[in-house]
């Protein structure tokens, strides 16, 4: 078979025999030109902006009839060559031929579906007469002469396959009146009648009038419109329904105070005031009868104030009102707002219980807020349970565990109750939740948080000691009872400080963030400034009390600094720290990181963990995983649980940069948690490294302060360590140089020795010029929030 253009088009449309398809496939493999032509045909068929060839004119070659014969394979070989040459030189003609062949293949390859009813109807019509055919072909009826009628007479009826054997007579159709133009206009273009256009507007106006009538006719919304007509009815109904209303007190008011009442401004009278005005002219009873009416109990009790329960506990209400007490003037009674709460008269006594009760009810502010003190002994705390929202959480094991030491942790995934003194943690990237049903409170541990559940103390009925991380405290919402409007009270312990956090309302949500401060000189001892903290309020109101009796109130959308230095200088919102434009996302209720990266980290880390395993036996093996992100998460879990020995092993044995940085941060955060941690770090470094290497790493882990950057010897040592053979030394040295100087340098601890040497020379030149890394005359640069890691 010849490999022509028509053959390739037929091959693409799959109309050849299997043997022919196989033969053409072999030829396409052998001929690169044919393969490229096939790809060109497919490409032009996919292109949408190709125009159709011209039918007439100079660009109309080839003729459409010639193309049809080419597709039918009825052209001579010479004409076939001409057509194929034109198609190969023009994409427009090529796509026309290929597309026409494809359409004919689809049409002729599948039989057309005809409706049976349509087929029967066409057959029932029969063939059209010759005159009708000629009229249809000509488009108009041409009158014929008698001679032409005889010469062009139709064939006999016997030769015509008509169903009706009678010949069709030509009839003259009467002239019809021309159809009006309006009848040929579609309905959607015609103008609608007036009533159809007005009806929608009329319905809208009618609905507005009905709504306005219902709205302005409501007496509860507009009482002034109906007060004049209902005043007499209200007075009459009061006289009939309550015949025993006490009128003695208003008589005394009218007898004693008449001038103020005349000068008082006009106020709409209530039912009781109308009765007083009605009974005022009839004061003819003797004094004894007036006293008797005053001592008569009323027919109904007035509604109690909003704080009736509080008032009842502070002062008992007598059964009969005393007659000798002076009553307020009518002017004062009328001008007082109706929503004001009556202040109960406090008894003139110095009883300690009464004073304490008044202070608790907020009637009289305390002269000075009491200091918050730690409890002498741990008391019983509300029952609490912890669960993980998306994976696992950690809990410190007790001494009864056979394989665990005193600082070991266990991995859990099921809901577990926690007792007083239990330490739990939520490692990255998991989130844990502590539910306290009795306190109507929920505490959420964000990833990278470790806390200890404390018992009842003098500050609150429950509390938490935060080691590091972020917690979100959510009060139970949805309670509308005014008597139970206050939220829970928690105590927060940081180092030796005890704070109290009052969630004033039931919808209060706040977040606390505690970040450990890393050391900056060897032998630094822990103090009150070894952490920085922030308190964010998402909703409601929070009242924060520190251990020295200072109270701060934070509203929704605000924040305050919890750092000891800021609170000592009364810098609640210090100006040297950037104030957030809004509360962070993790403070929002029901916040959860649903990003793609977070889901992948959770899925990858969950595969490596099992319920009930110990951290000391599981996490060190995961740190050696080939995946850097999994190894990093395991290292951060060791840092969160204070497993310093395993962190030192990570510095010596793990090749992942992310894991080494996590181990360095974990060790530096752990150093200031106990004065003995420095000695433990030195012993652990001696066990893993050589004495010289252990000494260098210990000095780098303790850190440096700005004064060290002004020393020529220390500056030279830091730059010298940029070329050290150990990658941990290089990373620590670069981080310290970046923090001390605040200058970004193109340096990588994992670069080639030549590249590291070039960077070190630039720093040597800087030291030779200025005498040290930081010129003493220069101001101390502000260290970046996040140091540039190599």
């Amino acid at each position: 078979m010849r490999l022509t253009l028509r053959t390739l088009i037929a091959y693409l449309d799959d109309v050849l025999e299997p043997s022919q398809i196989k033969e053409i496939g072999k030829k396409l493999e052998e001929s690169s030109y044919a393969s490229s032509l096939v790809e060109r045909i497919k490409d032009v068929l996919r292109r949408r902006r190709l125009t159709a060839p011209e039918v007439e004119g100079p660009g109309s070659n080839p003729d459409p009839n010639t193309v049809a014969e080419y597709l039918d394979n009825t052209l001579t070989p010479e004409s076939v060559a001409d057509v194929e040459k034109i198609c190969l030189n023009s994409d427009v003609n090529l796509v026309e031929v290929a597309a026409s062949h494809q359409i004919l293949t689809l049409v002729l390859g599948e039989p057309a579906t005809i409706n049976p009813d349509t087929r029967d109807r066409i057959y029932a019509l029969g063939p059209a007469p010759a005159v009708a055919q000629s009229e249809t072909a000509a488009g108009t009826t041409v009158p014929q002469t008698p001679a032409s009628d005889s010469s062009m007479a139709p064939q006999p009826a016997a030769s015509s396959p008509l169903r009706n054997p009678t010949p069709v007579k030509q009839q003259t159709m009467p002239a019809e009146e021309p159809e009006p133009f309006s009848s040929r206009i579609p309905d959607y273009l015609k103008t609608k009648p007036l009533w159809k256009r007005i009806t929608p507007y009329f319905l809208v106006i009618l609905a507005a009038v009905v709504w306005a009538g219902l709205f302005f006719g409501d007496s509860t919304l507009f009482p002034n419109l109906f007060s004049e007509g209902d005043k007499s009815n209200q007075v009459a109904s009061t006289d009939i329904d309550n015949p025993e209303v006490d009128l003695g007190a208003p008589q005394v008011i009218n007898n004693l105070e008449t001038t103020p009442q005349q000068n008082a401004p006009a106020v709409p009278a209530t039912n009781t005031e109308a009765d007083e005005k009605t009974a005022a002219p009839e004061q003819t009873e003797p004094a004894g009868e007036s006293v008797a009416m005053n001592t008569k109990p009323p027919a109904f009790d007035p509604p109690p104030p909003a704080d009736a329960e509080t008032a009842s506990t502070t002062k008992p209400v007598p059964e009969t009102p005393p007659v000798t007490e002076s009553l307020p003037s009518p002017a004062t009674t009328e001008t007082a707002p109706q929503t004001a709460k009556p202040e109960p008269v406090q008894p003139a006594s110095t009883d300690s219980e009464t004073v304490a009760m008044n202070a608790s009810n907020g009637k009289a502010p305390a002269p000075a807020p009491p200091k918050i003190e730690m409890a002498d002994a741990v008391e019983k705390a509300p029952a609490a349970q912890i669960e993980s929202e998306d994976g696992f959480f950690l809990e410190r094991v007790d001494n009864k565990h056979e394989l665990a030491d005193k600082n070991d942790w266990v991995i859990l995934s099921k809901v577990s109750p926690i007792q007083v003194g239990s330490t739990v943690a939520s490692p990255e990237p998991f989130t844990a939740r502590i539910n306290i049903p009795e306190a109507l409170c929920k505490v959420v541990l964000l990833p990278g948080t470790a806390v200890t559940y404390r018992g009842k103390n003098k500050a609150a009925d429950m509390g938490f000691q935060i080691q590091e991380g972020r917690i979100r405290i959510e009060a139970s919402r949805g309670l509308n009872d005014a008597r139970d409007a206050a939220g829970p009270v928690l105590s927060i312990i940081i180092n030796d400080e005890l704070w109290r956090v009052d969630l004033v309302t039931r919808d209060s949500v706040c977040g606390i963030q505690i970040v450990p401060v890393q050391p900056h000189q060897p032998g630094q001892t822990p103090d009150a400034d070894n952490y920085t903290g922030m308190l964010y309020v998402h909703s409601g109101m929070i009242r924060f009390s520190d251990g020295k009796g200072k109270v701060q109130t934070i509203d929704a959308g605000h924040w305050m600094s919890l750092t000891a230095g800021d609170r000592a200088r009364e810098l609640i919102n210090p100006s040297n720290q950037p104030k957030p434009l809004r509360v962070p996302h993790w403070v929002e209720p029901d916040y959860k990181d649903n990003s793609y990266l977070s889901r992948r980290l959770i899925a990858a880390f969950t595969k490596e963990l099992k319920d009930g395993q110990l951290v000391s036996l599981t996490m060190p093996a995961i740190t050696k995983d080939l995946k850097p992100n999994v190894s990093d998460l395991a290292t951060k879990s060791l840092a969160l649980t204070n497993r310093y020995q395993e962190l030192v092993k990570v510095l010596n044995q793990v090749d992942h940069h992310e894991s080494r940085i996590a181990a360095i941060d974990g060790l530096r955060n752990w150093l200031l948690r106990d004065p003995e941690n420095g000695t433990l770090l030195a012993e652990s470094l001696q066990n893993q490294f050589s004495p010289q290497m252990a000494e260098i790493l210990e000095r780098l882990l303790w850190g440096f302060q700005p004064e060290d950057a002004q020393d020529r010897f220390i500056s030279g040592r830091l730059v010298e360590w940029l070329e050290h053979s150990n990658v941990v030394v290089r990373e620590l040295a670069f981080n310290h140089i970046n923090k001390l100087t605040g200058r970004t340098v193109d340096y990588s601890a994992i670069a080639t020795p030549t590249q590291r040497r070039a960077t070190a020379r630039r720093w040597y030149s800087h030291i030779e010029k200025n005498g040290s890394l930081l010129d003493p005359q220069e101001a101390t640069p502000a260290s970046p929030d996040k140091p540039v890691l190599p």
Side-chain angles (χ1 to χ4, degrees), residues 72-129:
D72 290 339
N73 199 14
T74 58
L75 280 180
T76 60
E78 295 79 5
S79 301
V80 169
D82 295 338
V83 172
E84 291 184 350
K85 183 178 180 180
I86 294 173
C87 293
L88 294 177
N89 293 332
S90 173
D91 289 343
V92 174
N93 292 281
L94 177 63
V95 71
E96 187 73 14
V97 172
S100 301
H101 190 279
Q102 187 178 28
I103 294 173
L104 291 174
T105 303
L106 296 176
V107 173
L108 300 177
E110 299 180 0
T113 304
I114 302 176
N115 192 357
D117 297 338
T118 306
R119 182 188 296 108
D120 297 341
R121 182 180 178 185
I122 293 174
Y123 284 138
L125 294 176

Side-chain angles (χ1 to χ4, degrees), residues 184-204:
R184 289 176 290 174
I185 299 177
D187 293 339
Y188 64 90
L189 292 179
K190 294 181 180 179
T191 305
K192 294 182 179 180
L194 181 61
W195 67 272
K196 287 187 177 181
R197 288 179 287 170
I198 297 179
T199 300
Y201 300 100
F202 174 75
L203 294 178
V204 171

Side-chain angles (χ1 to χ4, degrees), residues 628-645:
N629 53 358
V630 176
S631 175
D632 178 35
L633 293 175
T635 306
K636 291 180 179 179
S637 300
L638 293 174
L640 188 63
T641 55
N642 300 324
R643 304 292 301 180
Y644 66 95
Q645 296 178 347

Side-chain angles (χ1 to χ4, degrees), residues 194-276:
L194 181 61
W195 67 272
K196 287 187 177 181
R197 288 179 287 170
I198 297 179
T199 300
Y201 300 100
F202 174 75
L203 294 178
V204 171
I205 295 174
L206 180 61
V209 170
V210 173
W211 176 83
L214 296 176
F215 179 77
F216 291 101
D218 192 355
S219 59
T220 58
L221 298 177
F222 300 93
N224 296 332
L225 299 178
F226 307 93
S227 58
E228 296 298 333
D230 297 342
K231 185 184 299 182
S232 59
N233 297 333
Q234 293 176 359
V235 174
S237 62
T238 305
D239 295 340
I240 295 173
D241 297 339
N242 304 301
E244 297 182 358
V245 177
D246 188 4
L247 301 177
Q251 293 176 2
V252 177
I253 295 174
N254 294 334
N255 293 334
L256 297 179
E257 301 289 344
T258 56
T259 305
Q261 186 175 4
Q262 297 174 359
N263 300 331
V267 180
T270 58
N271 297 343
T272 307
E273 295 171 357
D275 297 341
E276 295 173 2

Side-chain angles (χ1 to χ4, degrees), residues 274-289:
D275 297 341
E276 295 173 2
K277 295 179 181 180
T278 305
E282 300 178 0
Q283 297 179 5
T284 56
E285 299 93 335
E289 296 181 3

Side-chain angles (χ1 to χ4, degrees), residues 661 730-740 787-790:
I661 296 299
R730 297 197 298 266
E731 290 174 345
L732 279 169
F734 175 76
N735 285 343
H736 288 307
I737 292 175
N738 179 261
K739 289 181 180 180
L740 292 173
V788 180
L789 301 179

